[in-house]
Amino acid sequence: MRLGRFLQGGREVYGALEGDGVRVLRGPEERVPLEGLTYLPPVEPTKIVCLGLNYADHARELGMEPPEEPIIFLKPPTALVGHGGSIVYPKATRRLEYEAELALVMGARCKDVKEDEAMEKVLGYTIMNDVTARDLQKRDVQWTRAKSFDTFAPLGPYIVTREEIQDPHALGIELRLNGRRMQSSNTRNFIFQIPYVVHFVSEVMTLNPGDVISTGTPPGVGPMVPGDEVEIQVQGIGVLRNHVI
Ligand code: MG
């Protein structure tokens, strides 16, 4: 199932994508045509947990040893923007960069989850652009400022529920800037696999339904400027498209 949140006029619509329409899941039974709907981020998380270096090919590119344990940081939910929304280039940076990532959406409240029970807690998958002010990231000890501006977390276009993805560790992931391929890898290059990541994060903090864990980016990160169109495609999920303004 593909679950999305949309805006129709001033009304929020949450439902399952079916063909060229949305079957409304909250409220009276109804089918709304997809045309004319604005995509919202598919979830309203209490937090967005991001992984630092998690692709072996990206570690090689940087000449770094793979980390022994995941490096995690947070992005605020106020950074979210949906498919089709604009990424605002902040005045405070001179180097805005994209990062294509597969994101997990949690389906159950959990804490201290065992690895072999972790997948049951995942509702599904979506796509995130972990937009980063690279100059500020290098300048600051903490990455909060570099990762947290409004619109620095494009997410969507929708959630693909877990049962639709046979193996989340075999998905092609690609990023195109103005149609040109800039990142291309596969989730088989993950250093830390999803069950371990969920286990690891849940040993730190309670995960709530709708919380997002973004799984890190492959090689090829680079700059964006106003006017650019950035598309991230993950095999079996879809395309997340945004513009920089
Ligand atoms: Mg990232």
Side-chain angles (χ1 to χ4, degrees), residues 50-53 73 75 99-101 128-132 134 143 147 214-217 221:
C50 301
L51 261 70
L53 204 57
F73 62 91
K75 271 169 119 79
E99 294 189 2
E101 306 198 357
M128 196 170 93
N129 191 342
D130 175 16
V131 177
T132 303
R134 197 68 72 200
W143 297 353
K147 296 283 192 178
S214 200
T215 57
T217 200
V221 297

Side-chain angles (χ1 to χ4, degrees), residues 135-229:
D135 52 345
L136 303 183
Q137 187 185 25
K138 287 180 181 153
R139 211 184 299 164
D140 292 355
V141 176
Q142 295 283 338
W143 297 353
T144 307
R145 180 166 67 142
K147 296 283 192 178
S148 299
F149 287 92
D150 288 2
T151 74
F152 269 30
L155 189 80
Y158 39 70
I159 302 162
V160 176
T161 50
R162 181 163 46 90
E163 74 282 355
E164 283 204 16
I165 304 287
Q166 272 201 346
D167 183 2
H169 301 103
L171 304 177
I173 179 166
E174 179 176 304
L175 182 141
R176 296 183 294 271
L177 190 68
N178 305 318
R180 192 166 154 225
R181 190 163 72 183
M182 309 301 282
Q183 293 188 280
S184 179
S185 188
N186 191 289
T187 57
R188 78 169 71 90
N189 293 314
F190 276 177
I191 296 168
F192 303 106
Q193 295 210 325
I194 292 165
Y196 179 73
V197 168
V198 173
H199 157 76
F200 181 87
V201 174
S202 80
E203 288 216 306
V204 180
M205 61 190 91
T206 300
L207 290 166
N208 289 318
D211 280 356
V212 172
I213 302 178
S214 200
T215 57
T217 200
V221 297
M224 305 182 283
V225 295
D228 281 349
E229 178 191 77

